[in-house]
Amino acid sequence: DGGITQSPKYLFRKEGQNVTLSCEQNLNHDAMYWYRQDPGQGLRLIYYSQIVNDFQKGDIAEGYSVSREKKESFPLTVTSAQKNPTAFYLCASSIYLMDQPQHFGDGTRLSIL
Amino acid sequence: GQQVMQIPQYQHVQEGEDFTTYCNSSTTLSNIQWYKQRPGGHPVFLIQLVKSGEVKKQKRLTFQFGEAKKNSSLHITATQTTDVGTYFCAGVGSQGNLIFGKGTKLSVKP
């Protein structure tokens, strides 16, 4: 079955530590995205990538970094510079353009120890 | 910046009652999408509206796109407990990115 796989489902970070969230898709989609979701909030765009080796900052990119070395993979690193990282992180993909319907992974819930 | 406002934030209904959530944008949208997120789950794409005044139906769900392409609504007829979740609208911004509303959380009392 085609889909988006995010891992881990739950992640705990110590102060001053960088952590990387994995996102893999086998839908052959060109575009991939990372969103952050806080309770009672909508989805806020962190980074997006429309093709391999290219990505753009979203609305809340500070404290995060990404890479897109392969079409299938778009990992997100939450750096120690992100002072409030506790949130639900969702990875998504779409066929190509950003206005196409997006398919989401199951998400990673990040908490601070 | 560009915003997509969604109301109400919460809606509690008795099973069998109707439910409507509204979405408004400060600018004209090229299209609007609706997603549903079940509790503990991830958003799932429901539908996309593109044309001015467009109305689409999915069983008990009716989606509308305003004539000016600045607003949209989702109406559920005779809610069921399976309708529980948060419904998000998302409009395409000037940079081509999707801008999500904050969602309407629907709870249904059996």
Side-chain angles (χ1 to χ4, degrees), chain A residues 89-113:
Chain A
Y89 291 88
L90 286 159
C91 179
S93 71
S94 62
I95 294 174
Y96 45 93
L97 297 174
M98 294 191 73
D99 62 349
Q100 296 299 307
Q102 295 185 8
H103 299 255
F104 286 83
D106 289 338
T108 293
R109 200 166 294 277
L110 176 62
S111 302
I112 298 300
L113 288 177

Side-chain angles (χ1 to χ4, degrees), chain B residues 3 8 26 56 59 64 70 74 81 84 91 93-94 98-99 103:
Chain B
Q3 287 188 326
S26 55
K56 287 188 176 180
K59 297 183 180 179
Q64 293 188 333
K70 286 187 175 183
L74 158 60
T81 55
V84 164
S94 57
L98 273 184
I99 301 173

Side-chain angles (χ1 to χ4, degrees), chain A residues 6-106:
Chain A
Q6 287 187 244
S7 62
K9 190 170 184 178
Y10 299 96
L11 188 58
F12 299 91
R13 193 192 91 169
K14 295 180 180 179
E15 293 287 343
Q17 187 179 48
N18 292 354
V19 291
T20 298
L21 283 59
S22 171
C23 178
E24 302 278 334
Q25 56 101 357
N26 60 5
L27 298 167
N28 199 33
H29 286 174
D30 284 328
M32 296 187 75
Y33 319 84
W34 274 104
Y35 292 94
R36 171 180 171 141
Q37 187 174 35
D38 294 283
Q41 300 292 317
L43 280 67
R44 292 186 290 169
L45 184 64
I46 304 173
Y47 269 97
Y48 64 96
S49 168
Q50 290 192 287
I51 55 172
V52 174
N53 292 323
D54 184 60
F55 48 83
Q56 305 294 329
K57 292 182 178 180
D59 300 320
I60 55 167
E62 186 175 352
Y64 300 97
S65 66
V66 293
S67 63
R68 187 87 187 275
E69 297 177 1
K70 298 186 301 181
K71 185 176 183 178
E72 302 79 18
S73 179
F74 192 40
L76 172 74
T77 297
V78 183
T79 75
S80 57
Q82 173 50 243
K83 297 306 178 187
N84 185 23
T86 297
F88 188 47
Y89 291 88
L90 286 159
C91 179
S93 71
S94 62
I95 294 174
Y96 45 93
L97 297 174
M98 294 191 73
D99 62 349
Q100 296 299 307
Q102 295 185 8
H103 299 255
F104 286 83
D106 289 338

